[in-house]
Amino acid sequence: MELAAGFDPGSREEWRALALSVLRKSGYEGDDPEGRLATRTYDDVTIAPLYDEAPELPRLVGHAGPWDVRQRHAHPDPRVTREAILADLENGVSSIWLDLTSIDPAALPVVLDGVLLDLAPVVLDAGNRAARAAHALLQLNEAGEFPGGNLGFAPGDPDLADFAGRARGRLRLVVVDALAYHDRGAADAQELAASITQGVQALRRLTEAGLPVERAFELIEFRYAATADQFLTIAKLRAARRLWARVAEVAGGPPAQLQHAVTSGAMMTARDPWVNLLRTTLACFAAGAGGADAVTVQPFDAALGLPDAFARRIARNTQSLLVEEAGVARVADPAGGSWYVEHLTDDLANRAWELFRQAERQGERVIEEAVAATRARRAGDVARRRHPITGVSEFPNLAERPPVREPGRGLAGEPVRHAEPYEHLRDVADRQENRPVVFLATLGPIAVHTARATFAANLFAAGGIATVAGAPEEFADAGTPVACICSSDRLYADQAAQVAAALREAGARKVWLAGKGEYEGVDATLFAGCDALKVLETTFDDLGVDR
């Protein structure tokens, strides 16, 4: 069957002509539709609007078939954690990720009471107590083999060499946690470069401890972030396998890479947390389509504290639905052959390899500096709402009552969440006896001022500031010293200066205008692409609210 049968083949020139005809209607006067429609990632990888050929790449297929559904547990009460683990294992979870940073490793016998360690893999995450946790787990299954799991040592852990020969069966020893770099703001290629750098460090440590190269490769697992940008996630996981295969080729080890994908904590929000269900579903799909061996979906309420039983259920069922009903796991490497994904995979791999080589020559500070620069760029985009966050910087709901959760490490690691600056202002506004208010002085008929009044109301609401709209003469009754004029450019030209003066006379200390341009009496403007966080912080100051 030829899917394109009955359709005449198109050409790039025909596409360019059609694209230019559309762009001309928006005022574009150039002759480069590819350049006009291209976008760039935080790694400065160009995403073209059209791909009509594929690069020559080695085919490294990831995990085929249902992946390992891995649930994270971090409740500080060992008995509560035990009950949650048993509930997960009885309802579709196939391995356990134990965050022991808030649980004493000595409590492992209680935490894992009833868990069949010869059937259910356990991954430990104990930070600087990794040796104690590993010793406790090995003692619990002293006579048996492990079906998988990981003792959770970091590549630089000083106790790593002491446990090099103690992993039995399919139990692994080292977790290369690239998720930690993502959480600090790394772009995708930077995350990949950090993972390969850490992976090579682990290889060196293990071989120096006397292990054969082949065995050293078998003991390493990689943890990556999966985001709601599904194509970048798919390409990143595909590129990671290619990069590690190159290391294996040089070092003389097996090319396979065990990948654990975790839905990004940085993208999660505490406000309007239900939107996290959409984010994590997209990320989980991308992780599975990208070939991850194990996937963890972080519960939708994890940014609020310790997830409840309902949220954990939804997290594991998200994976079950994608595997059993959507059939995501039925095809190995479903993105293989897509010209777009193949190019994206190649570009990420090349950027990451270049950065890895720089780190090998100059030290890991090269990666840290790159991550810091990306974090600053992304923060600027979040502030200007070029990186929109649904329910937070876009479409906020001031009447929202977020669910309350028990305090604790709900999210894996310590991510720098993109939504935090806006959520901080929302929290400040919610704590006030009376919610901060800005008056929207609307000019002309509803059809003229609605678009800009709605824009201004949403921008102020992103910081928890309510708005009251009305004619300029109603300002004095609004009980606020801050006003924002909203209308069309034509009416601004005729009335903005006069209205600003009237608002001043009525007691306004600050006069904004929704739109661009300079008008007498107007202090500042707000518009699409302005620094929304700066607008909100300035407004808090003008309203006398301590932030």
Side-chain angles (χ1 to χ4, degrees):
M1 180 178 66
E2 294 185 15
L3 296 178
F7 293 91
D8 294 330
S11 67
R12 175 173 285 268
E13 287 307 313
E14 290 174 320
W15 175 88
R16 294 184 85 255
L18 290 170
L20 279 173
S21 68
V22 174
L23 289 172
R24 294 275 190 261
K25 297 175 183 178
S26 64
Y28 178 68
E29 298 180 356
D31 194 32
D32 180 21
E34 291 92 345
R36 181 70 179 84
L37 297 173
T39 58
R40 296 185 72 81
T41 72
Y42 285 111
D43 288 303
D44 285 330
V45 169
T46 299
I47 297 180
L50 178 68
Y51 292 90
D52 52 9
E53 62 179 0
E56 293 293 331
L57 296 179
R59 188 74 182 277
L60 296 169
V61 178
H63 186 79
W67 57 80
D68 176 7
V69 178
R70 183 171 296 172
Q71 190 88 306
R72 175 180 173 271
H73 291 270
H75 197 288
D77 187 326
R79 289 175 176 79
V80 173
T81 297
R82 173 185 176 274
E83 294 303 318
I85 288 173
L86 294 178
D88 278 342
L89 292 174
E90 291 170 0
N91 291 281
V93 166
S94 50
S95 69
I96 297 300
W97 176 12
L98 271 179
D99 186 334
L100 297 174
T101 53
S102 56
I103 302 177
D104 190 332
L108 269 181
V110 176
V111 172
L112 297 175
D113 183 27
V115 177
L116 302 178
L117 295 177
D118 57 342
L119 296 178
V122 175
V123 176
L124 300 179
D125 186 357
N128 57 12
R129 300 187 295 184
R132 288 179 57 199
H135 181 71
L137 180 64
L138 291 171
Q139 279 191 317
L140 285 177
N141 194 28
E142 197 167 2
E145 293 290 311
F146 288 90
N150 199 305
L151 293 179
F153 284 93
D157 194 299
D159 297 310
L160 176 60
D162 296 337
F163 284 81
R166 298 183 62 183
R168 303 190 305 274
R170 298 173 61 190
L171 183 66
R172 295 187 181 234
L173 185 62
V174 179
V175 173
V176 173
D177 190 9
L179 177 68
Y181 288 86
H182 168 84
D183 285 348
R184 297 201 298 273
D188 297 284
Q190 293 163 4
E191 183 185 343
L192 289 172
S195 76
I196 301 305
T197 300
Q198 293 289 309
V200 169
Q201 180 184 351
L203 285 176
R204 288 170 177 151
R205 293 288 305 281
L206 292 172
T207 53
E208 287 169 1
L211 291 181
V213 172
E214 294 81 1
R215 180 58 179 158
F217 270 87
E218 293 173 352
L219 293 177
I220 302 174
E221 175 180 345
F222 290 78
R223 184 177 293 150
Y224 292 106
T227 73
D229 191 324
Q230 58 182 350
F231 289 111
L232 273 173
T233 296
I234 292 169
K236 177 171 66 179
L237 296 178
R238 298 176 85 247
R241 288 192 292 275
R242 179 180 170 189
L243 291 164
W244 193 238
R246 175 58 179 149
V247 172
E249 180 183 0
V250 174
Q257 183 191 53
L258 186 73
Q259 294 180 341
H260 173 203
V262 182
T263 59
S264 165
M267 72 177 179
M268 300 285 272
T269 65
R271 292 289 179 163
D272 207 349
W274 314 103
V275 182
N276 292 328
L277 294 169
L278 304 178
R279 297 182 180 105
T280 55
T281 299
L282 271 171
C284 182
F285 169 83
D293 299 271
V295 179
T296 295
V297 171
Q298 304 214 57
F300 74 89
D301 58 355
L304 294 166
L306 294 171
D308 67 2
F310 173 73
R312 291 196 305 273
R313 173 189 171 194
I314 295 297
R316 64 178 181 253
N317 284 355
T318 298
Q319 303 204 49
S320 297
L321 287 168
L322 287 172
V323 171
E324 302 296 339
E325 296 192 23
V328 176
R330 293 178 188 171
V331 179
D333 193 24
S338 160
W339 294 336
Y340 169 37
V341 176
E342 296 288 10
H343 275 282
L344 198 52
T345 299
D346 191 39
D347 289 339
L348 286 178
N350 289 333
R351 292 297 172 96
W353 189 257
E354 179 183 351
L355 186 56
F356 160 68
R357 292 182 63 189
Q358 290 181 28
E360 285 286 283
R361 293 192 301 267
Q362 303 173 33
E364 290 186 41
R365 63 176 179 80
V366 173
I367 296 176
E368 294 294 346
E369 290 170 358
V371 171
T374 298
R375 182 169 61 247
R377 285 177 59 194
R378 184 180 282 109
D381 287 344
V382 169
R384 294 179 178 278
R385 303 199 297 178
R386 294 173 184 152
H387 180 116
I389 306 171
T390 302
V392 180
S393 67
E394 300 286 345
F395 312 113
N397 177 13
L398 289 186
E400 170 198 5
R401 293 186 177 180
V404 177
R405 294 293 183 263
E406 186 177 349
R409 289 170 56 88
L411 290 170
E414 298 179 356
V416 179
R417 294 188 301 107
H418 309 322
E420 284 184 292
Y422 290 99
E423 291 178 344
H424 168 70
L425 295 177
R426 289 278 295 274
D427 292 342
V428 171
D430 288 352
R431 288 196 297 266
Q432 305 305 307
E433 184 176 353
N434 296 306
R435 181 174 295 280
V437 175
V438 168
F439 180 76
L440 304 183
T442 56
L443 309 181
I446 292 177
V448 173
H449 65 65
T450 292
R452 279 175 168 160
T454 301
F455 169 82
N458 281 322
L459 190 154
F460 286 116
I465 301 171
T467 53
V468 177
E473 54 268 23
E474 299 175 52
F475 170 74
D477 298 327
T480 177
V482 178
C484 179
I485 303 172
C486 303
S487 190
S488 65
D489 291 341
R490 183 178 63 80
L491 287 183
Y492 286 160
D494 295 333
Q495 302 180 30
Q498 179 183 351
V499 170
L503 291 171
R504 295 281 187 195
E505 187 175 346
R509 291 202 302 264
K510 183 67 166 282
V511 177
W512 293 89
L513 181 139
K516 294 183 178 180
E518 296 184 4
Y519 301 92
E520 185 179 349
V522 172
D523 296 303
T525 58
L526 49 93
F527 48 87
C530 71
D531 190 330
L533 276 177
K534 186 175 180 181
V535 170
L536 293 170
E537 290 166 354
T538 300
T539 302
F540 269 75
D541 295 341
D542 292 333
L543 293 172
V545 177
D546 185 5
R547 54 187 171 85

